[in-house]
Amino acid sequence: MAAQLETLTFPVTGMTCAGCAASVESMIGAQTGVEKAEVNYATQSVKVAFHPDVVGPRNLRQSVQSIGYDLIIDTLNAQEKQKEVQQSHYKQLKRNILWATILTIPVVLIGMVFMTIPYANYIMLVLTAPVLFIAGRNFFVNAWKQAGHGRANMDTLVAMSTGIAFLFSVFNTFNPEFWHQRGLHPHVYYEAASVVIVFIMLGKLLEERAKSNTSSAIKKLIGLQPKTVTLITTEGEKEIPVSEVQIGDCLLVKPGEKIPVDGAVTEGHSFVDESMITGEPIPVQKGAGEPVFAGTVNQKGSFQFVAEKVGSSTLLAQIIKLVQDAQGSKAPVQKLVDKIAGVFVPVVLLIALITLGTWFLFGGQHALSHGLLAMVTVLVIACPCALGLATPTAIMVGIGKGAENGILIKDAEGLELAYKVTAVVLDKTGTITEGKPVVSDLVWSEGLENNEELKAILLGLEQQSEHPLAEALVTYLKADGAVAVKIGGFSSLTSHGVEGYHKGKLYRVGTAKLATQQNLLCSPYLAEKADEYLNDAKTVVYFMNSERIIAFAAIADQIKSGSAEAISQLKKQGIEVYMLTGDNAQTAAAIARKAGIEQYQAEALPNDKAAFIKALQSQQKTVAMIGDGINDSQALAQADVSIAMGKGSDIAIDVSKITLVSADLRQVSKALRLSKLTVRTIRQNLFWAFIYNIIGIPVAAGILYPLNGFLLNPMIAGAAMALSSVSVVSNSLRLRFSKLSL
């Protein structure tokens, strides 16, 4: 087998139930060269991991076509082509329902009211045949194709139930004496067969409409981007399509207009409503140098900005892609449901045969007639569609609602797991605090306050460091007029600081632990001052040579306004909250005290953070890690649920299952509540889907007949089957109106 593996997602057309999804999945999965195939019935797509030098999209398509479905393998505008096919199918379905209804009404009237008119059975036969074999022909065609591969799906049940009812009625129409000779009346079930077809098609129509609403979040996100934009050129203003905007173009945004692409403000001033992306309701002030994002709305005032990211690179485009991928992913519980749906139809066929046999043996005078009726009703009422829709529709709505609130969920697994969280581990910098450190004081050892050469060395060292605290120090020193000198032999001391040489002398900048490792102690003056700043929740960074500590910088990082409230909300939900930080113990204690966290660990290296989470997991806790930095990546990967702050590093976001766009810690409670609501909806859906079949099938088989003579009419069964799918999708849509705030 070749080593190269490619993963692609193809839209699938023609699937009408979870059984269809199982058929497509197993058919593609059985192809040589295919490693894995996952069908999502709700999004009508299949994700395939395959070896392209062994099997290609055309082979996959042919295999799917052989069982009555189709695969859209064109990479360009695949979604649009699928939409066209679905719209065409929807229109055809409406036409079929209209004609089938027109033909069915007289059949029902004759069958229920005017049974005695001349040639009643022949008239019903003529009217019913087109309902079954023209309007409802797809049921029979698909069932036949499935049978050719030894498979069965929803269409099999419909085709068999209505086909048997129709053939039995035709036999009785032309051979009534067969029953008369045995003292029985030759019943016909034309009205049942035609009404079942109409009801099931009507159910499909309602299901399609309801399913289209589950992806409304994507439609809203796509609708955020304007079609045109005002370009500023040397000749003046010019309106162009947004697709023609290039990086570096200068664009004008007027009051009330949507921002077309990502960029930075160059001229003007305004407030921008970013709620559609971040979930934050308060407009954000924008001035020169401030970033703006595609899809957000300018409130007051005009401004110009330069385009920095266009097309698929914008934050909005990435959010749309993330939501689309997540909605197409499969929750762990869905895999079990898929297995049940895969054997559902064969089991129902077996139950139907047992029903017929039981009636035939013990049914008394009308054994065959009642047996056929019961068998047809069992085939009609069984509904794998509700099972297939229970999980993916809830996941789609849940992920869409998250996106509308600035909570980006990478896959269904993350959403399904989050409600189980019992412990939350928070990083400090950028998560609890603003992550924008500012040097408040630079304290020199006695007699060195105005040593410009030392300031230049400190600046030279910190300019080469990538640590955010170094950036704060560089800003401070430059503002103080320092000019960096050249540093030789620069090296980064992981999690401790940096070091380098100037004029052959070694200098270091770093933590207290680094100073201790070098056996360097602060002078009493420096030690006293450092304690004051540490107790005030400031971070202290030491500047030292090989002989002494020369100075320290006190760096403040303000706690975010919503952090304490967010932590309080988590505690109210019974969730344990921990803080891990690479900062020193005094600063960590001060931040934890202000944020309301009792349990914390200071001076934690990336390995320590991951080990801490592992220890919590060993205590049977479900752990969520929330961080924003590269140093959090290992811990995020170890956690059961990983949540990245949206303004954090790309690596942290890549590793995480959930991203909070606004970097507001209060969003964590909303994300966990969203998970809880979604899982509750999934459970409700599965309960109703199972209970419907568990109760419906025995009643349809005639279990109540010995008790009270009740035998379910196939027409009622057809209506119940159609409503079961619609009710599951409607229950999922209720999620859209749920409140995420506590």
Side-chain angles (χ1 to χ4, degrees):
M1 185 67 71
Q4 187 187 7
L5 194 66
E6 189 173 347
T7 301
L8 292 174
T9 299
F10 302 102
V12 186
T13 61
M15 292 194 297
T16 56
C17 71
C20 301
S23 294
V24 172
E25 191 169 289
S26 63
M27 179 56 82
I28 294 178
Q31 302 304 304
T32 306
V34 172
E35 290 285 327
K36 189 178 181 185
E38 273 191 356
V39 171
N40 186 308
Y41 175 49
T43 58
Q44 299 277 299
S45 62
V46 58
K47 188 176 180 181
V48 189
F50 62 101
H51 296 276
D53 48 352
V54 178
V55 64
R58 289 185 183 280
N59 306 110
L60 301 178
R61 187 183 189 190
Q62 286 168 1
S63 68
V64 171
Q65 285 176 331
S66 70
I67 52 171
Y69 311 104
D70 202 356
L71 215 59
I72 297 175
I73 57 174
D74 295 337
T75 52
L76 285 175
N77 304 320
Q79 299 295 333
E80 286 75 10
K81 287 178 183 174
Q82 185 186 32
K83 197 174 175 183
E84 284 175 16
V85 172
Q86 287 172 340
Q87 285 177 342
S88 170
H89 172 72
Y90 186 79
K91 288 177 183 174
Q92 182 64 45
L93 189 58
K94 281 175 76 174
R95 281 196 296 271
N96 287 345
I97 290 172
L98 176 65
W99 285 111
T101 304
I102 291 171
L103 294 170
T104 298
I105 289 172
V107 174
V108 173
L109 287 174
I110 295 171
M112 309 293 283
V113 183
F114 306 107
M115 297 92 80
T116 55
I117 65 170
Y119 307 107
N121 287 355
Y122 292 99
I123 296 171
M124 287 194 289
L125 167 60
V126 171
L127 294 173
T128 302
V131 173
L132 265 65
F133 304 118
I134 297 178
R137 68 182 178 282
N138 283 341
F139 294 115
F140 294 90
V141 171
N142 291 338
W144 180 255
K145 287 182 178 176
Q146 291 284 321
H149 290 270
R151 301 171 190 274
N153 66 357
M154 179 72 200
D155 295 327
T156 309
L157 297 180
V158 176
M160 283 192 68
S161 58
T162 56
I164 289 171
F166 181 80
L167 289 176
F168 182 71
S169 302
V170 170
F171 178 83
N172 289 355
T173 300
F174 292 102
N175 304 282
E177 65 281 358
F178 177 84
W179 299 104
H180 288 148
Q181 290 169 1
R182 290 161 176 77
L184 297 172
H185 181 72
H187 292 286
V188 293
Y189 298 104
Y190 293 120
E191 77 282 7
S194 54
V195 168
V196 164
I197 290 286
V198 170
F199 276 172
I200 290 175
M201 287 197 297
L202 194 59
K204 287 287 166 200
L205 191 78
L206 295 173
E207 184 185 312
E208 290 295 324
R209 290 180 61 176
K211 274 198 304 185
S212 69
N213 288 330
T214 61
S215 58
S216 61
I218 287 287
K219 292 174 187 167
K220 279 185 190 173
L221 287 170
I222 292 172
L224 288 176
Q225 195 170 42
K227 304 286 183 196
T228 58
V229 56
T230 306
L231 177 70
I232 304 290
T233 67
T234 51
E235 299 167 357
E237 297 178 9
K238 181 182 173 186
E239 190 166 297
I240 61 169
V242 71
S243 58
E244 294 180 9
V245 176
Q246 302 292 318
I247 293 173
D249 283 350
C250 186
L251 307 171
L252 174 68
V253 183
K254 296 172 185 171
E257 285 187 349
K258 291 175 183 170
I259 294 166
V261 296
D262 292 358
V265 176
T266 54
E267 191 178 321
H269 177 88
S270 184
F271 284 85
V272 174
D273 180 1
E274 297 184 338
S275 61
M276 55 291 296
I277 287 182
T278 65
E280 289 288 336
I282 302 171
V284 182
Q285 191 172 2
K286 299 288 180 182
E290 295 281 347
V292 288
F293 303 101
T296 55
V297 180
N298 181 25
Q299 299 283 293
K300 294 178 180 177
S302 299
F303 64 85
Q304 295 178 15
F305 75 100
V306 61
E308 293 181 340
K309 290 180 179 175
V310 300
S312 61
S313 300
T314 65
L315 177 63
L316 178 64
Q318 289 172 357
I319 289 174
I320 292 169
K321 175 80 169 54
L322 191 69
V323 174
Q324 282 176 329
D325 288 347
Q327 288 189 330
S329 63
K330 196 169 276 192
V333 68
Q334 180 63 26
K335 291 171 184 169
L336 174 64
V337 176
D338 284 350
K339 285 183 182 173
I340 296 171
V343 298
F344 184 87
V345 173
V347 169
V348 169
L349 291 174
L350 184 63
I351 292 173
L353 287 174
I354 293 172
T355 300
L356 177 64
T358 305
W359 272 100
F360 190 74
L361 292 173
F362 308 107
Q365 186 182 9
H366 300 287
L368 183 59
S369 177
H370 284 171
L372 278 171
L373 190 67
M375 182 178 74
V376 166
T377 311
V378 166
L379 293 171
V380 169
I381 204 168
C383 182
C385 305
L387 277 177
L389 290 167
T391 303
T393 52
I395 292 288
M396 283 181 73
V397 177
I399 287 172
K401 187 169 182 64
E404 289 172 4
N405 285 274
I407 303 165
L408 301 182
I409 297 157
K410 190 174 284 180
D411 58 31
E413 187 179 1
L415 185 62
E416 192 183 326
L417 271 177
Y419 88 99
K420 295 179 181 174
V421 167
T422 55
V424 166
V425 178
L426 301 166
D427 168 52
K428 179 179 77 68
T429 306
T431 303
I432 297 175
T433 65
E434 294 284 356
K436 294 176 182 173
V438 177
V439 174
S440 64
D441 296 276
L442 183 57
V443 182
W444 294 90
S445 190
E446 298 92 323
L448 299 176
E449 288 84 358
N450 298 312
N451 192 319
E452 296 301 325
E453 184 181 10
L454 288 173
K455 287 182 184 176
I457 295 168
L458 179 58
L459 178 58
L461 275 167
E462 291 296 77
Q463 271 188 341
Q464 298 186 54
S465 173
E466 295 177 347
H467 198 283
L469 295 184
E471 191 180 330
L473 203 45
V474 168
T475 304
Y476 180 87
L477 287 167
K478 282 185 174 175
D480 196 36
V483 178
V485 295
K486 189 173 180 182
I487 299 294
F490 177 86
S491 63
S492 177
L493 310 169
T494 305
S495 300
H496 291 305
V498 296
E499 66 179 18
Y501 290 87
H502 178 66
K503 293 181 179 176
K505 198 169 183 179
L506 178 65
Y507 292 90
R508 293 187 177 94
V509 182
T511 61
K513 188 179 275 186
L514 179 63
T516 305
Q517 285 174 353
Q518 305 305 317
N519 296 316
L520 299 176
L521 296 175
C522 287
S523 67
Y525 169 72
L526 282 183
E528 185 184 344
K529 295 294 288 181
D531 269 348
E532 286 178 19
Y533 291 115
L534 289 168
N535 289 330
D536 195 29
K538 291 182 180 176
T539 300
V540 172
V541 175
Y542 295 90
F543 176 40
M544 64 201 90
N545 58 25
S546 55
E547 299 159 0
R548 61 186 292 199
I549 293 176
I550 300 167
F552 72 78
I555 301 174
D557 187 8
Q558 295 295 319
I559 293 181
K560 291 177 186 172
S561 58
S563 291
E565 183 188 343
I567 289 159
S568 173
Q569 286 174 351
L570 290 170
K571 287 180 177 177
K572 282 180 185 171
Q573 294 175 65
I575 296 171
E576 297 173 13
V577 181
Y578 302 85
M579 183 184 80
L580 300 181
T581 176
D583 221 329
N584 63 75
Q586 279 175 284
T587 306
I591 293 287
R593 186 176 62 251
K594 287 185 177 179
I597 298 174
E598 290 80 26
Q599 303 172 90
Y600 64 91
Q601 182 176 319
E603 299 179 357
L605 302 176
N607 287 341
D608 298 331
K609 292 182 179 180
F612 186 88
I613 288 172
K614 204 169 183 178
L616 290 177
Q617 289 170 326
S618 68
Q619 298 168 28
Q620 309 306 316
K621 291 175 181 171
T622 305
V623 185
M625 171 71 198
I626 304 164
D628 73 326
I630 295 171
N631 62 333
D632 299 321
S633 302
Q634 194 176 343
L636 287 166
Q638 174 67 41
D640 300 294
V641 177
S642 45
I643 302 176
M645 308 304 277
K647 293 176 181 172
S649 73
D650 291 342
I651 294 176
I653 293 171
D654 283 348
V655 170
S656 300
K657 290 179 177 168
I658 298 174
T659 299
L660 307 179
V661 179
S662 69
D664 183 347
L665 207 52
R666 285 172 292 197
Q667 294 288 79
V668 174
S669 290
K670 288 186 179 179
L672 299 184
R673 180 165 167 74
L674 177 63
S675 167
K676 189 176 180 181
L677 291 171
T678 306
V679 170
R680 189 170 72 188
T681 303
I682 290 172
R683 288 177 176 170
Q684 288 170 347
N685 286 349
L686 288 175
F687 170 79
W688 287 114
F690 275 113
I691 204 73
Y692 162 81
N693 285 300
I694 288 171
I695 294 175
I697 291 174
V699 170
I703 197 169
L704 296 177
Y705 188 81
L707 302 174
N708 55 16
F710 177 75
L711 204 54
L712 190 63
N713 190 309
M715 291 189 288
I716 305 298
M721 197 284 276
L723 284 175
S724 67
S725 297
V726 176
S727 63
V728 162
V729 179
S730 301
N731 191 45
S732 295
L733 289 173
R734 286 197 311 123
L735 255 179
R736 292 164 62 188
F737 308 105
S738 301
K739 287 186 179 177
L740 298 184
S741 302
L742 295 175

